[in-house]
């Protein structure tokens, strides 16, 4: 039952985010949309941001690629772009919220995990130390996240496959 209520609350938040920013959503709005009391909301979550974090974590787990190989980044990025396109209004309202850090953490965690094997391969190829490998991983994840957030800010107009091919081209460059 608790899992169902959590899902109902997440669905209500997702629905509310489709037409307003997170900053304009209250616990009462969510409770009303989910047909539960505020007390029920607080039984499951501390606040709206706690619910948002839980909701994004559920999606992150579902979006992570099941394969662990050099091209896992491609699968993860394709899944992430598809999720953004399918939830365009929600993502854009989160992006424009004062509390955008949840979206930033969400995208970064997906990208960081998916780029691990790719950057490990690069580290081995160029004989990088563990410290240099971690720096490369963070640099690559933040760069890809920057492209993703710019794409969201631009209204997600660049076709998904074109964005993936652009990233693939960048990853193929050698010094």
């Amino acid at each position: 039952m608790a899992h169902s209520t959590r899902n109902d609350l997440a669905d209500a938040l997702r629905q509310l985010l489709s037409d307003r920013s997170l900053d304009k959503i209250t616990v009462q709005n969510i409770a009303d949309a989910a047909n539960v009391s505020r007390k029920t909301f607080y039984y499951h979550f501390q606040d709206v941001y706690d619910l948002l974090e839980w909701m994004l974590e559920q999606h992150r787990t579902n979006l992570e690629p099941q394969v662990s190989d050099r091209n896992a980044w491609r699968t993860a990025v394709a899944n992430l772009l598809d999720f953004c396109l399918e939830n365009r209004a929600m993502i854009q309202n989160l992006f424009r919220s004062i509390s955008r850090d949840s979206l930033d953490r969400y995208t970064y965690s997906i990208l960081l995990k998916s780029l691990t094997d790719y950057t490990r391969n690069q580290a081995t190829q160029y004989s990088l130390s563990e410290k240099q490998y971690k720096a490369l991983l963070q640099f690559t994840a933040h760069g890809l996240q920057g492209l993703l957030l710019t794409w969201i800010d631009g209204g997600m107009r660049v076709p998904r496959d074109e964005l993936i091919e652009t990233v693939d081209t960048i990853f193929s460059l050698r010094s």
Side-chain angles (χ1 to χ4, degrees), residues 133-166:
Y133 157 72
K134 287 181 180 177
L136 176 63
L137 177 59
Q138 291 171 346
F139 178 82
T140 306
H142 280 295
L144 189 49
Q145 181 188 35
L147 284 174
L148 175 67
L149 295 176
T150 299
W151 177 72
I152 292 169
D153 190 38
M156 302 182 209
R157 289 188 195 103
V158 175
R160 163 199 181 273
D161 291 339
E162 183 179 323
L163 187 58
I164 292 170
E165 287 307 314
T166 298

Side-chain angles (χ1 to χ4, degrees), residues 1-11 43-45 51 54:
M1 179 68 178
H3 187 67
S4 178
T5 302
R6 285 175 160 253
N7 288 333
D8 290 346
L9 291 166
D11 289 343
Y43 177 79
H44 295 283
F45 299 102
L51 169 58
W54 182 84

Side-chain angles (χ1 to χ4, degrees), residues 95-137:
F95 182 80
R96 290 179 177 83
S97 293
I98 294 171
S99 302
R100 191 180 102 188
D101 57 328
S102 295
L103 181 62
D104 291 347
R105 280 193 304 278
Y106 167 71
T107 56
Y108 183 73
S109 67
I110 291 172
L111 296 171
L112 189 68
K113 183 169 181 151
S114 67
L115 289 167
T116 300
D117 291 329
Y118 171 79
T119 53
R120 180 63 72 189
N121 179 292
Q122 296 296 304
T124 302
Q125 184 177 350
Y126 293 106
S127 303
L128 300 179
S129 69
E130 187 65 20
K131 184 177 180 180
Q132 291 169 323
Y133 157 72
K134 287 181 180 177
L136 176 63
L137 177 59

Side-chain angles (χ1 to χ4, degrees), residues 7-17 29-31 33-34 51:
N7 288 333
D8 290 346
L9 291 166
D11 289 343
L13 177 59
R14 194 175 303 106
Q15 175 190 350
L16 291 166
L17 279 168
N29 296 143
I30 297 167
L51 169 58

Side-chain angles (χ1 to χ4, degrees), residues 57-68:
E57 179 59 25
Q58 300 308 301
H59 286 288
R60 186 188 64 77
T61 302
N62 293 335
L63 289 177
E64 287 176 352
Q66 300 303 313
V67 294
S68 179

